[in-house]
Structure formats: structure tokens, C-alpha cells
Amino acid sequence: MPVVTRAAPERLTLTQARRVALAAQGFTDRAHALPSMRTLQRTLERTGVLQVDSVNVLQRAHYMPLYSRMGPYDIGLLHRASERRPRRMVEYWAHVQAFMPVELWPVMRHRMEHYRSQRGKWGILVDEPELEANLLAEVRDRGTSTARDLDDGLPRSKEHWGWNWSSTRRVLDFLYMTGELAIAGRNSQFEILYDLPERVLPSAVLAMPTPDKADADRELVRRAARSHGVATVAHLRDYYRMSVASTKAAVDSLIEAGELVPVTVAGWRQPAYLHAEARLPRRVRTRALLSPFDPVVWERDRAEALFDFFYRIEIYTPPEKRIHGYYVLPFLLDDRIVARVDLKADRASARLLVRGSYAESHAPAETAEELAAELWVLAGWLGLDDVVVEPRGDLAPRLTVAVHHAG
């Protein structure tokens, strides 16, 4: 596989940019017959983070990017990596709520201090020092605990849309954001399990010095650039949710160090930057369903710029106003996104329901057959026995036939 160096072309075609981006995300890695912890670690190195989301209509968000790159795998690998010693990943506000490699904990200490000085996030002020002290003492004595375990029964607030948090839950979130507590895992109801950092993170990680702010910013942008392959400042900023000023300063420093190479990408209005070790494959051969929270598509403007794919998640859209469906996954075939499907795992009947299926204008003739094959693989991974295509969307007639033949 060729490696891009500082002598790389100053201009990339859009096709080249897509291939660089997909290679950076791990879609050209050699498949392992049986995905192992080594496979998971390699994949996490590519994605950098795994966004966490509670929606479980198909499969929770953090499991899906691993599946898209590794194929069917034992989700127990992720639980081992995030809940057992030696922990390899931990939840933090890295992109948004996300798993990140444990070695990023010291890099995030500046973010923790920011939330401490702001007394919270999203403008929600947390100023209950007595409750903070009591909760820390309680967790120290009790060990791993959920907010429900610790809740003192205070009235719950309904001032903010979608929230119904007690004071205990709000303060626990604050203590986690500031690094005074860490997330040890989640229970079967997906509730967060809080504990002291020294009982969650490896001691070697906690002992690592805190880099200065400029070095921390450089490390985050370096990782974002490695995961993107090629990106604008806006793309790099979004990956770890940094400020534009901090991102731009880090980009300038990494250019000077030779780690980033300025390039132009055909059709992009903004300057782009190529990671100096990015791979530029001659072709990409892959087939994958992408979660709405996959790094390839989570920044919708980038997905449109790279793939000419306009994508909006419609979970919070009233049903009568949805265009494509509730939980819609883009379908990646080689280096193009060629279709999208609204999926639901009907666990009671052991069926994977395709509530809607839609082809992109550039979809090749084999799209239905390739998608059908992938849907059967996904159903098997989810422990479902059947794939049912409902008659919604322009791709549905062909996909119905293809699913029947593939099954």
C-alpha cells in the first residue's frame, strides 16, 4: 500500500480523498477470520473514539463502527476492553459521550479543568458543594454505583427538554466531567456505573504528567488527522470538539513539524490537510452499513463533501415528517455511499426489519444484491433469523428479491 509523504501531490481528486479517508478509518485493513482483542485495538486506533448513544432500535452506537470494520465479532471484546483490567478504553466527553483509549485521560485534563471552572456544561450550573462531597464519599465507601443507587430522592427537574435528572444525577455527571469520578461501565439497563478514577484507570495512566495546553491540543489534532486521513480545520476541530483557534494553532504547528501536508481537494472550498503517513490506496473494496454515529458520517457536512451524500438523522423528527425513516444507516460499497436503509431489530420475532430502502442516484446495478448479502450478515451477528423488506423506498422491490435469493 503506497504511503503519502511530503512529496505527495498538492491536489487530490475527490475519489482520492474518499479513499484516503476510508483507509484512515480502517476499511482497507486485512480482515481477521476471528476478530480478537488485537483486531479491536487496531480498529480503535483507526477510529480514535467510539461514540456512545442510548438508542437501541438496532444495536447501540458504540458497537456498530467496530462491526462495520471488523465484521461479526463478539461484543464481549468491547466489554473486556472497557470494564476489566487492564482497561484499554474508557468513557469520556471526547467527541461527545464516547469511548476513548485510556492514554487520552491525561490529555483531557485541560478539558476537565475547563468544566470545573465553568461548573458544568451546556450552561447548566452545578453549585452544590455539599452534595458533591457527600457523593464522592459515598462512592469511595460503596464502590461502583449508579445514580439510582445514590439518588437521595430529591425532586427531578423538567426544565430542560429531554432531561429528567435528579440533583444526584446532575452532580455525578459534573464529577465525571471534571475527572473526579470515572465511568467503570454500564449495567444491563445502560445506566452509568461511577467509581473513583484510581479504581477504573490503570495506575500508569493516572501517573502520566499532564501535557501543557498546546501539547494537548496538538495531540488531539494529530489523532483527528490520523483518523480522517485528509481534512479541513472544521473537520479536525469537530473530531474532539475543540475550539477553532486551538485547532488552527495545532494545525500550523503540525505543518511546521511535517506531520500535516497542505493540499487542495477538488470541490472543497476550504484548504485541506493530509496526514503525512496517510495511505492512498489505488482502490477500496469494502461493504459496510454505517451507524448514524460512525466517524465517517457523524459530521454531516463532511459526509456530503466526501460522498455527495446528504444525511440527517430523523429520530427526533415527527413520524409524518420523516423522509427516510427513524434509524437510517448509510450503505458503503467500495468507496461510495450508494444507499440508505431504515433498520429495526425486532427481537421478539427474531427478524431484521428493513422499514425503508433507498438507492442513491449513482448506485451501481449490483447495489441490491450487495446490500442483501450485508443485511443477512448483520442479522446473523444480531442473533436474528430472518430479514424482512417492507415496501417503502425506491430500492425496496429489487432488495426484496435480492434478500430472498441471498437467504
Side-chain angles (χ1 to χ4, degrees), residues 18-33:
R18 281 198 301 270
R19 291 172 182 171
V20 166
L22 291 170
Q25 281 289 320
F27 286 99
T28 59
D29 289 348
R30 187 184 300 275
H32 289 178

Side-chain angles (χ1 to χ4, degrees), residues 144-298:
T144 302
S145 306
T146 67
R148 194 152 46 93
D149 295 331
L150 301 165
D151 202 320
D152 58 2
L154 292 175
R156 295 174 181 271
S157 168
K158 296 187 179 180
E159 296 171 3
H160 302 282
W161 179 88
W163 288 35
N164 189 22
W165 285 10
S166 67
S167 295
T168 295
R169 178 68 174 86
R170 188 168 59 252
V171 171
L172 286 168
D173 184 69
F174 172 73
L175 293 171
Y176 141 76
M177 295 297 296
T178 62
E180 293 174 79
L181 290 177
I183 294 180
R186 290 177 182 260
N187 64 16
S188 58
Q189 288 78 45
F190 204 61
E191 294 174 299
I192 291 174
L193 299 166
Y194 298 93
D195 208 340
L196 301 178
E198 55 265 35
R199 296 201 290 241
V200 173
L201 291 139
S203 57
V205 169
L206 291 174
M208 292 171 65
T210 303
D212 66 34
K213 181 63 163 56
D215 285 342
D217 289 342
R218 273 192 295 273
E219 180 60 18
L220 291 178
V221 172
R222 177 183 291 117
R223 286 173 178 256
R226 187 180 298 125
S227 292
H228 268 326
V230 61
T232 67
V233 167
H235 302 157
L236 295 170
R237 179 210 67 76
D238 178 77
Y239 215 84
Y240 290 98
R241 296 296 169 91
M242 301 170 63
S243 72
V244 173
S246 295
T247 305
K248 185 64 169 65
V251 165
D252 291 343
S253 177
L254 292 170
I255 291 171
E256 185 177 354
E259 295 185 53
L260 292 182
V261 180
V263 295
T264 59
V265 175
W268 290 14
R269 295 180 179 180
Q270 298 299 318
Y273 304 92
L274 188 69
H275 191 275
E277 296 178 357
R279 291 177 292 161
L280 176 52
R282 293 185 179 89
R283 62 182 61 86
V284 173
R285 292 285 182 261
T286 193
R287 187 183 72 198
L289 286 159
L290 305 175
S291 158
F293 308 104
D294 192 289
V296 171
V297 294
W298 69 24

Side-chain angles (χ1 to χ4, degrees), residues 45-66:
E45 287 173 5
R46 303 285 190 254
T47 65
V49 290
L50 298 171
Q51 184 171 337
V52 175
D53 188 83
S54 61
V55 176
N56 196 27
V57 66
L58 180 71
Q59 176 62 288
R60 296 203 193 275
H62 47 288
Y63 297 115
M64 282 300 298
L66 296 172

Side-chain angles (χ1 to χ4, degrees), residues 342-364:
D342 180 20
L343 298 182
K344 175 182 174 61
D346 187 341
R347 296 174 178 87
S349 63
R351 298 180 303 165
L352 177 61
L353 304 181
V354 185
R355 313 299 299 270
S357 46
Y358 309 84
E360 296 299 295
S361 60
H362 54 263

